Amino acid sequence: MTDELPTDRLIALRPWEAPEVTSWGRLPMNAVDRRSGALPLDGDWRFQLLPVPDAPVGGAWSTAYVPGAWTVQDTDDLPQYTNVTMPFRQFPPQVPAANPTGVYERELDVPAEWAGRRIVLQVGAAESVLLVHLDGRPVGVSKDSHLAAEFDLTGVVRPGERSVLRLTVVKWSDATHIEDQDHWWHGGITRSVLLYATDPLYLADVGVRARQDGELRVDCLVRNAAGDRALPGGWYVTADLDGELLAQDAEFDRVNIEDDRVSDFLGEARIHAAVPEVRTWNAEQPELYGLTVRLHRADGTVADSSFHRVGFRDVEIVGRNLLVNGERVFIRGVNRHDFHPLTGRTVSYDDMRADLVVLKRFGFNAIRTAHYPNDPALYDLADELGFYVVDEADIESHDHAHEIADDPRYLNAFVDRVSRMVLRDKNHPSIIIWSLGNESDYGANHDAAAGWVRRHDPTRPIQYEGAAKLGWADPDVASDIACPMYAALEDCVAHALSGEQTKPLIQCEYSHAMGNSNGTLADHWAAIESTPGLQGGFIWEFWDHGILQRVSDGRPVGRTGAGLYDNGVAAPGHRWAYGGDFGEALHDGAFVADGVVFPDRTPKPAMYEHREIAAPVRIRCFRHEGIVLANHQHFRGLEWLTGTWELALADGRTLTGPAKLPELRPGETAAVPLPFEVPADGGEAWLTLRVTVGEDQAWAPAGTEVCAPQIRIRAADPLGEPVQAGPAVEVDGEGLLRHPLLTTAPALSLWRAPTDNDELGGMALRWRTWGLDQLVRKVVSVHQKGERVVVLAEYAGTVGVVRHRQEFTPVEGGVRVDESAELPEEFDDVARVGSVFETVAGLDLLEWFGQGPWESYPDRAAGAPVGHHSLPVDELFTPYLRPQESGGRHGVRRFTLSAPDATGLAVELDEPRQVSVTRHRAEDLTAVTHHDELVPRPGCVVHIDAAHRGLGTASCGPDTFPSYLVAPGVHRWSWTLRVL
């Protein structure tokens, strides 16, 4: 075993080159809570960054803050982002000779009162190899960058005296090849360091199993580090639940004492109890009990204790359904990395709580810890706030997946990482599934790890996409769940309807959130909720991993940079850095910016889409007797919610009134009367139920909006023929409309600044090949038809010609524009068909009747209710990390652009259209890579689209559906421009 390496071998050992060495001197992982009474060692440490691990330590020391990556602490080793490709060329297990190595040092003052006690050092996480020395003596080695390592210092430390603790962290190792996790590459000590003491006889582990029926089992493992192999007389274990004593005098069973390799006492104590009228745990009602386990000396005094928050719940798979407490639950999940824009991987308790609060408020109920065990506090918060967690082992060998999956040199590492995760996290009710890792192919190493988990914890299923992809229904692979990655929706539905499905189908990744994305999310969930066998999935992912960077010197802004960003935007002189921004030649660009929130946790518009899709209350339909409401929760009634009705009329009126929600159990429906007498006039009418938190929740105060389901009560009146009035339309010799509020005339637009999906999905290349970004306009004819002016023009790209017709009719206060564009067959998938014009400066407020207030697009519009909305023009644009098409509003019926004195222009559309109003032309956005390079135009750039292509998720996943493509043929649209 590697843990038995003699001390003298450590001196000559090069563990960063030895895959057979996963640790030396590291204590076994356990689930005992050691935070109470510990001595924190966080803060400024002496620090040197060496070029190679064997370089001598010497010269001047700088300082580094622990916890924190040195890559964001003003060193010469800067962050680097790659997705699949390793950051160096060496084949596993080899690493480059140039291998940054951080040496951390500080004095260690052990309290004198700890004399005679067992003293343990805990290093929360270190990337990627940790070597521990005390007063120059080697203590131990650990690999696994995302789990804590503990070392017994009892024999080398002197309580009451000062020692020197040195932690050496080597950046690259054989272990790096299985930590290729689509994230920034960092180096350093990224979680807290602490020192704690126990009695020589101590709780070595505590396992808790709390069942839905109230059955509670507590297994305690007790060790004696004093070397006394005799059973201690009279010692016992007790436990209390919320202060009520459960058991005492729990007997010890001796374990492996006949084995000569066991040098200390090892015993087990078991406690069983039945809790009457138990309050069960689920993500909607995360009921927790406080369990305290105590190890008592013979005289009754407490030698050791451990506190746990217990949730009573069952997880099982029955047929093709994943059940929590017997209920088939939908998994509305997101993948989440430990990330912060200032500190890299280091996140505080407050950071994590804020993450989960945002997710909870936007309808998420599940987290996959991609792709490693997260900070321990994350699981405490998931227990408390209510999330289903897929806990994922620190294994991803994406670049060399096939070779490593069956490589026996990595067998110990696979089993070690999976088993240590389970041993640490097993008591959390939020964890419902164990994951063997990510994108590491499938081999014997996975089967070995899965076998250990099934033996140790048969209460939870296992998933692993690499195994499941061999066959979603295959019973012989190490995945109890069919968990594909970016599978086409039609394939998922076909599998569920095939009659061959044997496992729940829950996608581990779907709907890739890179840039302006998450198209067809509502379509996916419509299919999931209506197709037995489909149970949800995890969006990729929570964060845009932009690191705050000073533009002047290109360095990251460390933990002192708070206040330099707001609402998703970096302050002047700063920007959100992505791959390539730190001078690295090998990188994967903005692929690291693929979250549903910006780097400062500001929600992207797609979050509102998800919120509505996950709404706990839905409007099913409108009938003569009223509105049919449905409770779409799994466990909870509607008593915790309240609501307000809004009736938006096309004539500008909005009626509001309180809503009394009916008493509905999960899955039930009920009809409620119409809250208003709908006026006979007013045109189109939309009824919205704004549902808010009625009483404070752990994740939201009363009054927080959780959803806004909507239904149309009355359709719009058709737009009539224009009535000619007013002065003649002014059109120049080129057939261009002249208007005092326009700086450029309305022209045909087929191009948008490519989204990340457009670029990586290949559409943008096709559009450029066709020349859609550089269309050349040629006037064919301009002729008068009474007061009307008809302009025929042709727009030519490198292939194909688009015939464009504009008819201008004077109307009262303005002009009506009737347009058509005939796209040739070659243009079988363009970005948009519509009009674009620019306005004079000073028109800074947009008011509109349509979907909003946030950005929406044809395949991402379910979360934007129809109503009367108003926003400053500068707030309409969405600052995706790489500038691209953004700021659109779907389903707009009319809008006004006005100055502070209420002058401006008004536009009425023939039917709901896609509209965008920003300060940027498409070519402005396409020409730059970051927002600090953009120069806003003084006027407004206005797009009115007859058709606009859906967004899809083609940067990594399926494109939008055919129904959201812009096809060739004739497109027609009409709009009226008036002066306010």
Side-chain angles (χ1 to χ4, degrees), residues 274-294:
V275 180
E277 298 179 355
V278 68
R279 306 184 309 274
T280 57
W281 184 98
N282 58 70
E284 293 169 12
Q285 294 172 299
E287 296 283 355
L288 294 172
Y289 292 76
L291 174 71
T292 302
V293 180
R294 297 182 179 90

Side-chain angles (χ1 to χ4, degrees), residues 629-708:
L629 298 181
N631 179 357
H632 274 249
Q633 300 172 104
H634 298 295
F635 299 98
R636 205 174 189 184
L638 304 184
E639 65 281 351
W640 64 286
L641 298 169
T642 188
T644 301
W645 291 109
E646 286 185 4
L647 181 66
L649 300 169
D651 65 3
R653 288 178 289 170
T654 299
L655 309 179
T656 62
K660 180 176 174 55
L661 300 180
E663 294 182 5
L664 293 176
R665 291 192 297 270
E668 288 186 340
T669 62
V672 298
L674 270 174
F676 309 106
E677 183 177 342
V678 181
D681 59 348
E684 187 177 8
W686 288 82
L687 183 66
T688 304
L689 176 62
R690 295 202 175 272
V691 181
T692 56
V693 173
E695 53 191 43
D696 290 349
Q697 305 291 303
W699 49 272
T704 302
E705 188 168 289
V706 296
C707 60

Side-chain angles (χ1 to χ4, degrees), residues 135 197 432 435 505 929 978:
D135 292 332
I432 63 169
S435 170
L505 198 157
T929 59
R978 289 186 171 90

Side-chain angles (χ1 to χ4, degrees), residues 897-919:
L897 270 169
S898 60
D901 62 0
T903 62
L905 57 84
V907 174
E908 184 178 3
L909 305 171
D910 59 338
E911 62 181 74
R913 300 291 187 182
Q914 182 79 18
V915 170
S916 72
V917 180
T918 71
R919 302 291 190 194

Side-chain angles (χ1 to χ4, degrees), residues 288-329:
L288 294 172
Y289 292 76
L291 174 71
T292 302
V293 180
R294 297 182 179 90
L295 172 64
H296 297 265
R297 302 181 183 91
D299 62 2
T301 57
V302 176
D304 202 0
S305 66
S306 183
F307 178 78
H308 304 265
R309 301 184 78 184
V310 175
F312 288 82
R313 62 102 184 95
D314 289 340
V315 179
E316 58 184 334
I317 292 176
V318 177
R320 57 181 184 171
N321 295 320
L322 174 70
L323 306 181
V324 175
N325 296 340
E327 294 291 329
R328 179 179 183 267
V329 296

